[in-house]
Amino acid sequence: MMPPLGLPTIAAVFNNAGHHAETVDLEALRVTPEMLKEAFIKQKGNWPDVIGITCLTVTQQGAQESIQALRAAGFDGTIMVGGVHITLAPEDGVAWGADLVVTGECEGNIVQLVESGAKGIQAGKPMAIEDIPAPDWDHHNPEPRTYWGNMALMRPNPGITMWTRGCPFKCIFCSNLVFGGQATRYRPPENIEAEMKALKRHGCQKIYVYDDELVGTRMPEGWMKDVADRIEPMGFSWVTQGRCNKRYVTEELLRDVKRAGCRAIFWGVESFSEKVLKAIKKHTSVEDIWHTLRAAKAAGIENGVFTMIGNYMETEEDLEITRAALEKAYKEGLIQYRQTTFCTAMPGTEYADIQRR
């Protein structure tokens, strides 16, 4: 639905190091493993030295079958695999036949690993946030603006960017807890400006600033104002995500966010029950939620809310509290969009163990 960020960023790292790298979104182009095999056989004269594949757990079958298709086509170069699923289960990559299996963020050492001919399971190394290049959309297929968009707000001509990395919180329903959590790292405003110009050049008009929580946490002094000063003239309309917080969601901050082109913020509300918020370790309160929704409305920014059904320790009474609060919020005109997710830890999973502890 939206362009990926990981592979085009890795491509930029390789291209900056003097290699030639390009990315192909097989899913967006509806390329099956069999189609991949046939296409590679026809292009034998232009085979690359190395092929990298990324996958989530939900796409692991496609990754495995793509590796098998490449080998069946006769490709005997290096195949490397990484991504979220591989970080949690690196032995799967070995079982699939990948030569190099890379876990975690890897911008800091991926070029070195490939150039040295490293094999087997290798831990990736993060790169300093100020050194991570913008995704290389010049060598990405298809064009980012041709994606469908993950919501109506993104249509037509969507684009995607990430201005920060990391989240210091450890809500017990979030993958951030499993991956360890880390302090938020903020990209330099001048890097964001350059990336937004590149998206503009590629015809992207509506941007998803896909951060864990861009708004509602402690930012570096003047950071958002600097970003707004740089991208306001570009005329983008963008959507992002945020954390409800009466301390950090201020009139001044929202004024800069709005000026930069933000149309809507999706807030991680999850529940209006104080008991549930504490049980899931959300570190926000119902007071934070009401303050944030009203402050954003006053600033002229539309509110989206993420809510969940099936939270840890949640009862029908807690759901009724949330239902009544949502009804009140709608009557006040505080909510324009809502996404509700069923979120219950399955017995035997790491999440269930975490919640029990």
Side-chain angles (χ1 to χ4, degrees):
M1 294 185 291
M2 292 292 286
L5 280 167
L7 288 185
T9 303
I10 296 297
V13 171
F14 275 106
N15 287 327
N16 288 351
H19 298 280
H20 175 80
E22 52 190 64
T23 56
V24 181
D25 189 338
L26 301 178
E27 186 175 15
L29 295 170
R30 302 180 183 182
V31 176
T32 66
E34 184 61 32
M35 292 166 62
L36 178 65
K37 172 186 172 182
E38 294 174 1
F40 250 76
I41 291 174
K42 295 176 182 178
Q43 299 173 33
K44 190 169 184 177
N46 294 311
W47 278 358
D49 301 302
V50 179
I51 297 172
I53 297 173
T54 188
C55 70
L56 302 169
T57 300
V58 74
T59 58
Q60 63 175 304
Q61 180 179 341
Q64 179 180 2
E65 292 180 357
S66 293
I67 292 173
Q68 294 169 347
L70 291 166
R71 293 305 190 203
F75 181 76
D76 58 1
T78 296
I79 295 179
M80 59 181 176
V81 64
V84 175
H85 179 77
I86 291 301
T87 297
L88 292 175
E91 64 280 358
D92 282 1
V94 176
W96 299 344
D99 303 292
L100 175 61
V101 179
V102 185
T103 63
E105 291 187 50
C106 63
E107 289 96 345
N109 67 337
I110 189 64
V111 173
Q112 176 187 0
L113 289 173
V114 170
E115 289 181 343
S116 66
K119 303 293 182 182
I121 299 172
Q122 302 287 339
K125 293 181 180 179
M127 179 180 283
I129 192 71
E130 61 271 17
D131 296 330
I132 297 175
D136 186 347
W137 300 120
D138 291 336
H139 296 94
H140 179 78
N141 186 18
E143 277 279 345
R145 61 179 171 77
T146 63
Y147 284 74
W148 174 238
N150 63 337
M151 61 181 77
L153 285 174
M154 294 290 98
R155 303 170 194 144
N157 303 323
I160 192 167
T161 179
M162 185 176 285
W163 296 355
T164 70
R165 281 193 183 184
C167 175
F169 299 98
K170 295 184 178 180
C171 306
I172 65 171
F173 58 84
C174 180
S175 61
N176 196 44
L177 181 63
V178 177
F179 286 101
Q182 54 184 287
T184 305
R185 294 171 287 161
Y186 292 81
R187 294 179 62 200
E190 57 269 25
N191 291 14
I192 295 172
E193 178 185 14
E195 182 173 346
M196 298 299 279
K197 286 181 177 177
L199 288 170
K200 190 92 172 177
R201 190 175 69 252
H202 281 271
C204 299
Q205 298 173 348
K206 298 179 180 180
I207 311 297
Y208 202 127
V209 183
Y210 195 48
D211 295 31
D212 286 322
E213 289 171 319
L214 179 67
V215 184
T217 57
R218 185 177 180 179
M219 289 182 177
E221 184 69 29
W223 182 82
M224 181 54 74
K225 181 181 183 303
D226 194 355
V227 171
D229 289 344
R230 292 172 181 273
I231 71 172
E232 179 183 11
M234 301 183 200
F236 283 112
S237 170
W238 51 273
V239 176
T240 193
Q241 300 172 176
R243 167 175 287 268
C244 298
N245 189 298
K246 62 183 180 182
R247 180 178 180 183
Y248 295 122
V249 180
T250 64
E251 179 182 349
E252 179 184 10
L253 171 65
L254 292 174
R255 186 166 55 245
D256 286 331
V257 170
K258 170 73 172 176
R259 183 166 60 87
C262 181
R263 174 179 172 182
I265 301 174
F266 279 73
W267 306 100
V269 169
E270 324 313 354
S271 172
F272 278 87
S273 165
E274 290 282 8
K275 184 195 84 177
V276 172
L277 291 174
K278 290 178 181 178
I280 63 177
K281 300 190 182 298
K282 184 66 183 177
H283 292 288
T284 58
S285 67
V286 173
E287 184 180 356
D288 286 321
I289 295 171
W290 286 112
H291 161 83
T292 299
L293 295 178
R294 288 165 177 155
K297 179 185 178 183
I301 297 172
E302 294 180 326
N303 286 316
V305 296
F306 293 125
T307 55
M308 298 194 299
I309 294 173
N311 286 298
Y312 179 59
M313 293 186 67
E314 189 171 61
T315 64
E316 289 189 23
E317 289 75 18
D318 295 309
L319 289 172
E320 172 57 25
I321 290 171
T322 296
R323 186 209 63 77
L326 287 171
E327 183 177 46
K328 178 182 177 182
Y330 276 116
K331 286 180 178 178
E332 286 190 38
L334 297 179
I335 298 176
Q336 285 69 52
Y337 313 98
R338 176 165 57 90
Q339 175 181 301
T340 298
T341 303
F342 291 92
C343 188
T344 300
M346 296 175 65
T349 65
E350 187 170 359
Y351 284 106
D353 293 339
I354 289 168
Q355 292 182 356
R356 223 174 6 253
R357 291 196 300 270

